[in-house]
Amino acid sequence: MEEPRIGVYVCHCGTNIAGTIDVEEVAKYAAILPHVVVSRHYEYMCSDPGQELIKNDIKQLGINRVVVASCSPRLHEKAFQGVLRESGLSPYLLQMANIREHCAWLHEKGAETTEKAKRMVRAAVNRVSHHEALEIRQVPIFPATLVVGGGIAGIQAAMEIANSNQIVYLVEREPSIGGHMAQFDKTFPTLDCAACILTPRMTEVARHRYIRILTYSEVIEISGYVGNFRVKIRRKPRYVDEEKCIGCGICQEKCPWKVPSEFDVGMRERKAIYTPFPQAVPNVPVIDTEHCAYFLKGKCRACEKFCDAKAINFEQKELIFELDVGNIIIATGFDTLDAAKITQYGYGRYPNVFTSLEFERLCSPAGPTEGHIVLANGKQPDSVAIIHCVGSRDKNYHEYCSRVCCMHALKHAHLLKEKTKADVYQMYIDMRCFGKGYEEFYQRVQKEKVNFIRGKVAKVTDEAIGEEEKGKLIVLVEDTLLGSMLRVPVDMVVLCVAIEPRKDAQEVAKLFHLGRSEDGFFLERHAKLDPVATMSEGIFIVGCCQGPKDIPDTVAQASAAAARALAMIVRGKMEVSATTASIDESKCSGCKICNLLCPYNAIFFDDATKVSRINQVLCQGCGVCAAACPSGAITHNYFTADEIMAEVEGVLA
Amino acid sequence: MSFEPKIIGFLCNWCSYAGADLAGVSRMKCVPNVHIIRTMCSGGVSPAFILKAFQAGADGVLICGCNPGDCHYREGNYKAIRRVTLLKKVLERLGIEEQRLQLHWICASCGDEFVDVVNNMTAELKELGPLRDAEREV
């Protein structure tokens, strides 16, 4: 190995590091460490002039190893590796000392913290001498993309990619795409009809020659890695032949069995054979085997008798098949909080307490009341209370803000004013109307004579005190602006329920190797700089599965993820990290311990030579095999025993 | 001067290192005794690294990985459990107390837990005192 010539670069990061650590002293200290040729400090090493500093030293001083003492390698390692690469050095000849996140920000200002930074730099210098110029390989990728979830997020991402003539598989577990947005009546703040802007997109997706919709289907297994995923899909039987069905609806008419409709959140009934809503895509019904008389009792088949197209097929079986894709976009959406959990608001006990989603269906002309906002007894309400933050911003349920409720509460108030003569009360903690045109909409609704009461509702009850409260629901709330308790008698209560992670978010996270943030939503790679990527390369998260957000933000995120996927598709190949494991065959005893440990089956035993070998494309570089090899024959590149031990010695020296 | 234990922390890149980053980004404060070394997976921490750390002067070794079930490499953290359990038995024979080798799960959004683990382990080792030189020789 050539003689190491190390350059050390200590970053001030403005005052982020320099405010706590004496960077000059650290740089001075590093200058006298073995093999260090030059040691500098600079305001922002990641900036252009900072990077130029390193490039110049590589050129003029013949630096062949670089230590950057700055922020987390998880933030800027790629940037600094790029500097080495552009200067003709292998990017793996870099070592970062994370003196910002793990030192300056974590400890108090003082000599002790500067001492720690010195030890961190010393460890990095010690380590980098052992680094080797690893070879970066390129492998071809599958151009197709898998989109999981057919709500507005999934639809948008699929369209963006397919419009570039690239194949997209759009998997949706429900019988139709459309997601929550299909259930909404109007969208804030423009009051666009949700169906009018969504259903054309749904049809477009269905007709798109580069999109294959797989409804009533779920991803059950995933293997491979970025660019080369293999996903196993389970397609549940619809018992209706998609090719033959003409969507006439006669089967649904003739089916004698009624079940509460999921799409109408139980406010209307559907049949045992059904499409969730009339604009469903595909417009092919499914048979719900849990309620179909034929599946339960072996008799009926009324749908089959009346189907002229002969599309009903009780023999259909579930289908399991595999797809090869390069990128995966997760758009699995959200659930809403079960309002019955918050017992003091009376949901489930009082028939005129509705959730916001139920209210959407009440407003919808295609809903159970054909758009008439009515009470359980069919009459129009004279007064309505809309309660904000039901389960959001509440330590007992979710601490986070659900972000859409203030705005849809305003929208509901506006629709009530438009469609009824009711007095409307908004009980809010804070009004958060932050988006484009949102504040203006808030002002508009204020002018429509909606009553705003600032306070968190304590209770909804039917226990009347006075005459005017009889037969009403009484909302108990403290008006914090007046400083007094109020009893507001109303006919109807709408609960703005919190947006929650899907009930099966944990399983989905496990399936796709996603992290979750404390609130339970999927975790992005970097909150600010990489908000749609995840820790799993090639897997992106968009829409409410990442956190509560409105439709404009969801659509923007979906387009962003599509752009990320397309960037790789256009390149047609990808670089594979060189930080894999390799076996020194002369040391391998052929014990096969590593074969069984490898989570990717990347290690196989070569019977001819009686040694184990590692498939470099399958290896993901976890290092489990290297740690377990009793002969020390396996090297985990970039994390070799020599490198790690040098770092340990550097810290403790 | 009071005894300040030196602790080497092997943190997996995906959860724990990110969790420690988050602690820093959130400006949480902890004692400076733990020196973090990034590894790709807690399952990739070789017993040789741990012994080396003790030999080179560490008073304790901390290994942090993803929560059970959340390993970026499927089940590397389970391998870490087995390895640490076994190694503790060996260390015990050598007279190295079990508190000196600790394994904790720190997720990428668990900055506060990381800070707790660092503070608690440092306090425990302060109580225990330095690792005696005789033990290092072995």
Side-chain angles (χ1 to χ4, degrees), chain A residues 6 41 112 213 265 293 363 408 425 534:
Chain A
I6 304 170
H41 59 96
E112 212 180 334
I213 299 186
V265 260
C363 293
H408 74 57
Y425 300 89
T534 65

Side-chain angles (χ1 to χ4, degrees), chain A residues 72-74 77 98 101-102 105-107 112 116 119 513 518 535 597 599-600 622 627 639 649 651-652, chain B residues 13-14 17-18 20-21 24 27-32 34-36 38 40 52 56 72-74 79 83:
Chain A
S72 173
R74 292 165 38 79
E77 191 176 48
N98 184 356
E101 280 84 341
H102 290 183
W105 280 350
L106 214 46
H107 310 310
E112 212 180 334
K116 180 168 181 178
R119 285 196 291 271
H513 299 289
E518 252 175 307
M535 294 293 192
L597 283 177
Y600 303 98
C622 66
F639 294 90
E649 278 176 341
V651 170
L652 298 169
Chain B
N13 180 59
W14 306 99
Y17 196 91
D21 275 0
R27 312 299 198 274
M28 295 170 184
K29 297 291 176 216
C30 66
V31 293
V34 173
H35 275 271
I36 297 168
R38 182 166 69 131
M40 291 313 277
K52 176 77 189 182
H72 184 80
Y73 301 106
R74 295 181 193 169
K79 282 153 193 154
R83 200 165 284 152

Side-chain angles (χ1 to χ4, degrees), chain A residues 449-461:
Chain A
K449 300 212 167 59
V450 171
N451 304 297
F452 289 83
I453 299 172
R454 184 171 179 273
K456 173 122 177 139
V457 172
K459 195 177 177 183
V460 176
T461 176

Side-chain angles (χ1 to χ4, degrees), chain A residues 16 72-75 77 96 98 100-102 104-108 112-113 115-117 119-120 127 222-224 506 510 513-514 516-518 523 525 535-537 579 596-600 620-628 636 638-642 644-645 647-649 651-653, chain B residues 4 6-8 10-11 13-18 20-41 43-49 52-54 56-59 68-76 78-79 82-83 107-110 112 114-115:
Chain A
N16 283 312
S72 173
R74 292 165 38 79
L75 188 67
E77 191 176 48
M96 289 182 76
N98 184 356
R100 192 179 73 171
E101 280 84 341
H102 290 183
W105 280 350
L106 214 46
H107 310 310
E108 306 292 347
E112 212 180 334
T113 305
E115 282 309 307
K116 180 168 181 178
R119 285 196 291 271
M120 292 172 82
R127 187 191 210 270
I222 159 170
S223 57
Q506 180 60 34
K510 214 166 174 179
H513 299 289
L514 303 174
R516 293 169 79 198
S517 38
E518 252 175 307
L523 185 67
R525 197 176 184 103
M535 294 293 192
S536 297
E537 204 82 41
T579 63
L596 297 169
L597 283 177
C598 179
Y600 303 98
Q620 297 297 295
C622 66
V624 164
C625 55
H636 181 199
Y638 209 46
F639 294 90
T640 66
D642 283 351
I644 301 278
M645 289 192 187
E647 195 174 350
V648 171
E649 278 176 341
V651 170
L652 298 169
Chain B
E4 288 297 337
K6 287 182 235 158
I7 302 169
I8 296 286
F10 293 105
L11 270 59
N13 180 59
W14 306 99
C15 293
S16 309
Y17 196 91
D21 275 0
L22 180 67
V25 172
S26 317
R27 312 299 198 274
M28 295 170 184
K29 297 291 176 216
C30 66
V31 293
N33 300 58
V34 173
H35 275 271
I36 297 168
I37 291 180
R38 182 166 69 131
T39 61
M40 291 313 277
C41 179
V45 179
S46 158
F49 301 168
K52 176 77 189 182
F54 283 124
D59 299 298
D70 287 349
C71 177
H72 184 80
Y73 301 106
R74 295 181 193 169
E75 47 199 27
Y78 295 135
K79 282 153 193 154
R82 285 197 235 163
R83 200 165 284 152
C107 75
S109 55
C110 302
D112 45 353
F114 173 73
V115 164

Side-chain angles (χ1 to χ4, degrees), chain A residues 131-144:
Chain A
H131 282 202
E132 283 170 50
L134 304 170
E135 188 198 345
I136 298 171
R137 290 157 306 118
Q138 292 194 322
V139 295
I141 59 145
F142 293 123

